[in-house]
Amino acid sequence: MARRRQAVTIKHVAADAGVSLQTVSRVINNEPNVRPEMKERVQASIDKLGYVPSIAAQRMSGSRSYLILAINDRDRTIEDWRARQGTDWVDQMLLGGMLKCAEHGYRMIFELVDTHSDHVERELLGAIAALQPDGIILTPPHSDSPQIVNFLAEQKIPFVRIGSIRNGAGIPVSMDDEGSAHQATRYLLERGHRKIGFISGSSEYALSGWRVDGWRRAMQEAGLPCDGLLAEGDFSYASGVEAAGKLLSGPERPTAIIASNDQMALATLEVARLMGLSVPQDLSLISFDNTPLVHFTQPPLTAVDQPIAATTSKAVELLIAAQKGDAAPKELTVVQASIFVRESVAPLADAPGA
């Protein structure tokens, strides 16, 4: 039987190059305090032996772990996975975060933490102790939890708060929820709609309020009332059914609705169908998220595309910069969203020029 080939380690590279383990580690980590000739010597041994640096080897310098820890809400994530309804928040996070990490020789680890647990600090401390990450990415609603934010600040680890605009510890990064809702509302206003309903998300998420603010601001700028046009959901399909039913059965039925996520938009589409309303002839509809689901509805939904991958990529960049000693941005970092136009919006039939 053939003998199993022995894995090449950092010790083999050090022995071949005739240098210390620390010198090899500094070369692997691209640290500046290595002479060019020494770097060439070590790199030659790496190439000759076919050595692939491990995270353990990279950690030998003692300054970095080369791990970024991304934390998501346990209950909602597991609920989405089990439902198998096409939500892709985690997929997009991994896409943006892992690719950006790879550019810098990092790895991204994904963990689920229960926001409402009495032991949330213990959960976080366990993950930090096991992984020793160079930085942490928080997503809603963790990013706005005072308990979690204050706890991480005490750990002296750089962290980014996605979907948060509050001042305080950590680095806030926004996907411009208010601006996106304002943009979506303006899109409908420009097509003649004046009665534009809005279905908000869960009040547990600060971004839900920001989206309402964006819608309301656009309506006020156009001199239009918002009374009777706002219904509250919680991002679930069931809440979308209830909210859409409330809006569409009221005395001032809206000619267009913006739903704060795709699940509630799908619910609105179904409620409209059951009420004999055609989209977009009788009701225009815009969704938030732009998950794969909205590509295949009838009609395909116009949607605000949440730049989750780009935002996570930017979060990784900011954490790596912080690990290198760069100062955190003084201004809020905003990753702009965009609207993907499909077939669920039509100009109002009696609008001027329609």
mmCIF file of all heavy atoms in Angstrom, residues 25 70 177:
data_model
loop_
_atom_site.group_PDB
_atom_site.id
_atom_site.type_symbol
_atom_site.label_atom_id
_atom_site.label_comp_id
_atom_site.label_asym_id
_atom_site.label_seq_id
_atom_site.Cartn_x
_atom_site.Cartn_y
_atom_site.Cartn_z
ATOM 1 N N SER A 25 6.365 33.093 9.513
ATOM 2 C CA SER A 25 5.048 33.639 9.833
ATOM 3 C C SER A 25 4.926 35.086 9.367
ATOM 4 O O SER A 25 3.898 35.491 8.818
ATOM 5 C CB SER A 25 4.790 33.545 11.337
ATOM 6 O OG SER A 25 3.539 34.092 11.671
ATOM 7 N N ALA A 70 -19.330 36.516 11.620
ATOM 8 C CA ALA A 70 -20.603 37.143 11.263
ATOM 9 C C ALA A 70 -21.702 36.498 12.092
ATOM 10 O O ALA A 70 -21.820 35.274 12.137
ATOM 11 C CB ALA A 70 -20.890 36.975 9.777
ATOM 12 N N ASP A 177 -32.042 52.398 4.229
ATOM 13 C CA ASP A 177 -33.437 51.963 4.210
ATOM 14 C C ASP A 177 -34.400 53.123 4.003
ATOM 15 O O ASP A 177 -35.368 53.011 3.243
ATOM 16 C CB ASP A 177 -33.758 51.234 5.518
ATOM 17 C CG ASP A 177 -33.033 49.912 5.618
ATOM 18 O OD1 ASP A 177 -33.538 48.913 5.089
ATOM 19 O OD2 ASP A 177 -31.943 49.880 6.208
#
